[in-house]
Amino acid sequence: MGLLDDLKERIVIADGAMGTLLYAHGIDRCFEELNVTKPEEIVHIHEAYIESGAEIIQTNTYGANYVKLARYGLQDDVKKINEAAVELAKKAAKGRAYVLGTIGGLRSTNKSTISLEEVKRTFREQLYVLLNEGVDGLLLETYYDFEELQTVLSIARKETTLPIIAHVTLHDIGVLQHGMPLAEALTELEQLGADVVGLNCHLGPYHMLRSLEEVPIPTRAFLSVYPNASLPQYRDGRFIYETSEQYFEETARAFREQGVRLIGGCCGTTPKHIAAIARALSDRTPVYKKEVKQRHPIVVQEEKQTTAPSLADIARTRRSIIVELDPPKKLGLTTFLEGAKALKEANIDALTLADNSLATPRISNVAVGTIVKQQLGMRPLIHITCRDRNLIGLQSHLMGLHTLGMTDVLALTGDPSKVGDFPGATSVYDLSSFDLISLIRQFNEGLSYSGKPLGQKTNFSIAAAFNPNVRHLDKAVKRLEKKIECGAHYFLTQPLYSEKQIEDVYEATKHLPTPIYIGIMPLTSARNADFLHHEVPGITLSDDIRNRMAMCANDRVQSTKEGLAIAKALIDAAFDLFQGIYLITPFLRYDMTVELVRYIHEKERLAKERTVYYG
Ligand SMILES: Cc1cc2nc3c(=O)[nH]c(=O)nc-3n(C[C@H](O)[C@H](O)[C@H](O)COP(=O)(O)OP(=O)(O)OC[C@H]3O[C@@H](n4cnc5c(N)ncnc54)[C@H](O)[C@@H]3O)c2cc1C
Ligand code: MET
Ligand SMILES: [Zn+2]
């Protein structure tokens, strides 16, 4: 008889948390290291769970992989720590309980932080040690990212015929990240060969029960659940879980009614919780039938589509000029508004507003954008970085922009805090630019990050950044292709300072379906040229350009003239290759960008005249 035979006949009880139990005892370091440094404590916890009724225990290896151990400088000890974990669990089990080798998920909410190749490499290393040490089965737990779980489950299934338990972690009731329905996920895991499929961590019994109500009893696999004790509280700098064992006793019976065959606990649970479950299900009798609640279909109201064409559409059909005029670093909008008005009169398609560029605080671009839109009737293009807002803040921000009717956004990772005025400030980066673009696309489908209906579809037109000032242009273009896959509609480049570079950019991107706005920022002085050349990563100015600026020395009028002449030559180079021109106003010097806008319009007029004249 093995674990799967037992599960065929009856409900099986598993153990509870290891990590939070150690944490509650004051251990804040790497929990898995204790397999080697304090083995008797680990054995003691395993024994306490078995004595409480656990028939299955899991090795203390949740984070015993290369990536997580590296945070403690223990990356070379993967083998040693996993070997010790199996030895300790077996020592505690003494044949009284099955020993599962646990492998935890690596990705949380941000896919881009760890590639699938890294996931595979890391997983394999841990898997082979656990299998070698003779575990009775595998527990793949706390997978927020379904793609990651699919990947590692497929690897594990090829490597062993032992029972595999695959656990996803819910994002919200009934759904994984990005809105994947739980029932669909569990069916897919069963099809990939998992013997037991279910849930663990993040949420407690309430959310898990409501989620399982929407899940049919699997045909071949068994259903399992390892709820957290409760939602954690943050008190005096520590996370605390508080749930009475009595509540676990009641909910264990409710889990049985949902067809659950394996039940244990996750974060915050203790041997007392497991004893409560064992008491509640003392006869271990399973149910074989249940009524499945239908998931409410997602109702998304169509948002009125704006009639104005997007900036991407405009750049596809005609010359388009957008101008960056950044919100000021000091309070007061007088100069800024004068500049915005002058640019409006010069006839631009949109005013782009940076989001604390170079990681230095500026007046909120939403506040400034609202004024520009409402008072001047201009179209603001709002830059959004992932640096200053976490996943909650970003979604709230997008909902706010939608509410204000601002549909043009530029999705960026953003300059890191350390380049700006507050180098010690946190750079959040819950998301990368790729994830932010995907998130905005999902908003356009009427769904939040978790897949919850937003009630309306947003209508964002999504711009993304293109930095051609890199050593390998082909790599930058690969990033563009990925951004398009994520949902980018068009691109804005960093400022370019050479005609040749503009041609290279054209050659490297002409296969892309999305328009590109070429960035041109006039130089204001020799000092400005030197700063850009020497201190801004990636920007290189030719000797000729720097000499031309140097010749103007400190003469402001002459410098402006020369800066404009250089910018005009760049516009000439871009004119026939790109319809979109993105002018960047240096230091609120809107006189310069206004002049360049006029230059482009005049050029356009002459070109049209020529076309008419010559047919
Ligand atoms: C049009 C435009 C507007 C901008 N506006 C703002 C703003 O308002 N606020 C602000 O803080 N910053 C702004 N920036 C700066 C921008 O955040 C950084 O320059 C960023 O590095 C490039 O854009 P991204 O954020 O989309 O980065 P991503 O394309 O997401 O790149 C993120 C990081 O990946 C790395 N990377 C990118 N390309 C390559 C490559 N080819 N090879 C190797 N590594 C690479 C870099 O380390 C980069 O920082 C803007 C940039 C552009 C082009
Ligand atoms: C973070 S989810 C829980 C991981 C592991 N089962 C533990 O309790 O330590
Ligand atoms: Zn947990």
Side-chain angles (χ1 to χ4, degrees), residues 18 45 59 80 83 96 150 180 196 214 280 391 418 442 533 604 606:
M18 174 68 80
I45 292 174
T59 53
K80 189 165 86 179
E83 280 174 356
R96 298 174 293 171
Q150 284 173 305
M180 183 176 199
V196 181
E214 298 171 358
L391 193 46
K418 64 169 181 278
Q442 199 162 308
H533 180 71
E604 185 73 6
L606 291 173

Side-chain angles (χ1 to χ4, degrees), residues 15-22 31-32 49 58-63 68 102 104 139 141-142 144 169 200-202 226 228 241 265-269:
D15 56 354
M18 174 68 80
T20 48
L21 209 55
L22 293 166
F31 301 134
E32 291 78 8
Y49 277 122
Q58 56 167 300
T59 53
N60 180 32
T61 50
Y62 167 72
K68 289 199 174 163
T102 289
L139 173 59
E141 67 167 3
T142 327
Y144 284 90
T169 297
N200 80 292
C201 207
H202 183 47
Y226 284 38
N228 276 4
Y241 293 84
C266 207
C267 296
T269 58

Side-chain angles (χ1 to χ4, degrees), residues 5 63 93 130 147 186 203 285 305 331 351 359 370 376 392 455 463 470 499 560 568-569 614:
D5 300 309
L130 291 172
E147 183 188 37
L186 297 188
L203 298 170
T285 316
Q305 299 289 308
L331 295 175
L351 195 69
T370 306
L376 304 182
I392 302 163
V470 288
E499 285 97 322
T560 303
K568 284 176 186 172
Y614 294 110

Side-chain angles (χ1 to χ4, degrees), residues 92-226:
K94 297 193 195 83
R96 298 174 293 171
Y98 296 108
V99 171
L100 297 180
T102 289
I103 306 184
L106 288 174
R107 287 173 167 181
S108 57
T109 51
N110 187 349
K111 268 187 204 298
S112 318
T113 49
I114 179 151
S115 69
L116 272 190
E117 282 318 304
E118 213 173 339
V119 162
K120 287 183 197 170
R121 220 178 17 252
T122 311
F123 181 80
R124 282 206 172 93
E125 183 184 19
Q126 198 183 352
L127 175 73
Y128 297 142
V129 184
L130 291 172
L131 290 178
N132 247 337
E133 291 308 296
V135 289
D136 301 315
L138 293 171
L139 173 59
L140 312 179
E141 67 167 3
T142 327
Y143 284 82
Y144 284 90
D145 182 63
F146 193 68
E147 183 188 37
E148 182 184 2
L149 182 54
Q150 284 173 305
T151 307
V152 299
L153 172 59
S154 306
I155 294 175
R157 191 65 294 167
K158 281 202 198 104
E159 295 295 333
T160 179
T161 53
L162 288 175
I164 301 179
I165 301 169
H167 279 174
V168 293
T169 297
L170 287 173
H171 182 86
D172 206 334
I173 294 171
V175 286
L176 274 58
Q177 263 179 38
H178 308 298
M180 183 176 199
L182 173 64
E184 201 177 301
L186 297 188
T187 306
E188 210 163 317
L189 295 176
E190 187 181 10
Q191 283 163 359
L192 285 173
D195 301 291
V196 181
V197 297
L199 299 170
N200 80 292
C201 207
H202 183 47
L203 298 170
Y206 168 81
H207 292 87
M208 289 198 177
L209 262 172
R210 288 194 53 189
S211 304
L212 288 177
E213 283 168 8
E214 298 171 358
V215 174
I217 298 177
T219 44
R220 181 188 55 77
F222 302 103
L223 203 54
S224 68
V225 70
Y226 284 38

Side-chain angles (χ1 to χ4, degrees), residues 354-358 383 385 387 410 412-415 433 465-466 470 475-476 479 483 492-494 582:
D355 184 12
N356 303 325
S357 45
L358 291 174
H383 299 199
T385 69
R387 178 197 54 235
L410 170 63
L412 300 152
T413 297
D415 295 317
S433 60
F466 172 21
V470 288
K475 286 201 183 131
R479 289 181 79 81
K483 286 180 180 182
L492 273 58
T493 78
Q494 290 276 29
Y582 160 50

